[in-house]
Amino acid sequence: MSDSRHGPAGEPDILVLPGPEDVSLAAAEWIATTLGQAVAGRGRADFATTGGSTPIGIYRHLAADPLRRRVPWTDVHVWWGDDRFVPRDHQLSNVLPADTILFAAAEYSGQSGNRTQGTDVEAGIEPGVPVPAGNIHPFPCSETIGRGGTPADCARTYAEALAASPMPVVDGLPRFDLILVGVGPDGHVMSVFPGSRAFDCDALAFGIPAPTHVEPHVERVTLSPALLGVASRVLVVAYGATKAGIIGRAFGEARDPRSIPAQLTRRVGATWILDAAAAAQVPPAIPVRSH
Ligand code: 6PG
């Protein structure tokens, strides 16, 4: 039985690989396949990516051949599950790694200094992936900050953009083709922290006060946790021993996403790709695949 507030019941597909580099490559391949399927099915793919350090290795693989050539990037729309309320070029921005690695924006804008990877159209060598600028949909943090607005203002504008997008609507919520998330040390996903008020409101996006228990201590904006329940596919990626405890708890018998928001992604239609260190405390009763 599907309940969009908590996601469909069941267990995700869990893939356990030896180390972080295996995880990044497998995640990038999985994303490339999923985006291709979405474009084949509905003419575009709506992909919400994540922040933190997890996407960096993934972006490197997506931006390099063979994956760069495999994905129909011009039909991919990139959104963000959450961001820090800072300008887009701030070092804490969740958009900056995508701009730098996935889209190679500095190369295109000529701001990279020596342009060692500069565009060479004839040779077919281009930096980054060719997602049209109009398909890139960050939270409007820079614009909101520039006009003296708040994270709540920023979230409202983003919610309007989501509502105006041609994504299918399920239970009043836009259905992403793919949402990628990492797992925080407290079990948060996107910027939905344990006990978040976002569980009790119907908005599509929220301004979130600066968390004091996890870094960085800056205000955030986040999508609604309910969107994780209706997304066609959700990919959870985590590696390293520091994630083992919380991931073990996420797969415990008690299901309470308000306490462990990562449990929102413990659902059919979700895939978790973990390294052996991060998966070390997944209870033996939970089926995992390993290569
Ligand atoms: C953020 C996030 C957050 C992140 C996790 C995992 O903006 O901080 O989007 O939900 O994905 O905290 O972070 P790491 O990838 O750094 O482990």
Side-chain angles (χ1 to χ4, degrees):
M1 174 83 179
S2 169
D3 172 350
S4 62
R5 301 291 128 184
H6 302 290
E11 296 293 1
D13 182 33
I14 307 175
L15 178 61
V16 179
L17 298 171
E21 180 50 28
D22 308 297
V23 167
S24 295
L25 178 58
E29 287 176 337
W30 194 95
I31 290 168
T33 300
T34 303
L35 296 179
Q37 288 169 345
V39 171
R42 55 180 283 267
R44 64 183 263 169
D46 285 281
F47 166 38
T49 187
T50 188
S53 56
T54 301
I56 291 172
I58 298 173
Y59 291 159
R60 289 205 175 104
H61 287 294
L62 288 173
D65 288 337
L67 296 183
R68 184 171 63 121
R69 287 179 190 279
R70 192 194 297 171
V71 177
W73 291 110
T74 51
D75 296 316
V76 174
H77 286 251
V78 182
W79 305 76
W80 272 260
D82 74 321
D83 204 349
R84 290 74 180 267
F85 192 57
V86 296
R88 180 170 176 160
D89 60 354
H90 190 283
Q91 60 165 352
L92 292 178
S93 166
N94 284 347
V95 184
L96 184 63
D99 274 347
T100 313
I101 303 167
L102 189 61
F103 310 130
E107 296 285 346
Y108 281 112
S109 63
Q111 292 168 4
S112 64
N114 61 17
R115 294 181 59 83
T116 49
Q117 304 171 30
T119 303
D120 183 339
V121 174
E122 281 189 18
I125 299 166
E126 296 176 7
V129 300
V131 176
N135 291 10
I136 300 173
H137 308 278
F139 279 88
C141 296
S142 300
E143 297 83 345
T144 310
I145 291 166
R147 61 166 199 273
T150 63
D153 297 330
C154 179
R156 251 189 311 274
T157 310
Y158 208 51
E160 287 166 9
L162 284 167
S165 85
M167 276 185 253
V169 175
V170 179
D171 296 345
L173 302 166
R175 165 177 276 172
F176 281 94
D177 296 294
L178 168 60
I179 302 180
L180 168 67
V181 295
V183 179
D186 58 348
H188 76 262
V189 285
M190 306 189 297
S191 281
V192 178
F193 295 99
S196 176
R197 72 179 182 92
F199 284 103
D200 299 307
C201 303
D202 283 334
L204 296 179
F206 297 87
I208 300 292
T212 53
H213 67 297
V214 291
E215 292 187 340
H217 308 304
V218 291
E219 293 174 300
R220 316 284 185 101
V221 279
T222 188
L223 295 184
S224 162
L227 297 186
L228 289 166
V230 299
S232 295
R233 308 301 302 273
V234 174
L235 177 63
V236 185
V237 177
Y239 49 78
T242 58
K243 302 284 170 80
I246 190 65
I247 290 173
R249 283 178 55 212
F251 284 101
E253 281 180 21
R255 287 207 189 212
D256 179 13
R258 284 170 190 264
S259 303
I260 306 178
Q263 288 188 333
L264 292 162
T265 65
R266 190 176 163 186
R267 49 158 281 205
V268 168
T271 296
W272 289 55
I273 303 182
L274 307 172
D275 77 345
Q281 293 180 40
V282 173
I286 302 290
V288 303
R289 293 187 293 126
S290 51
H291 284 194

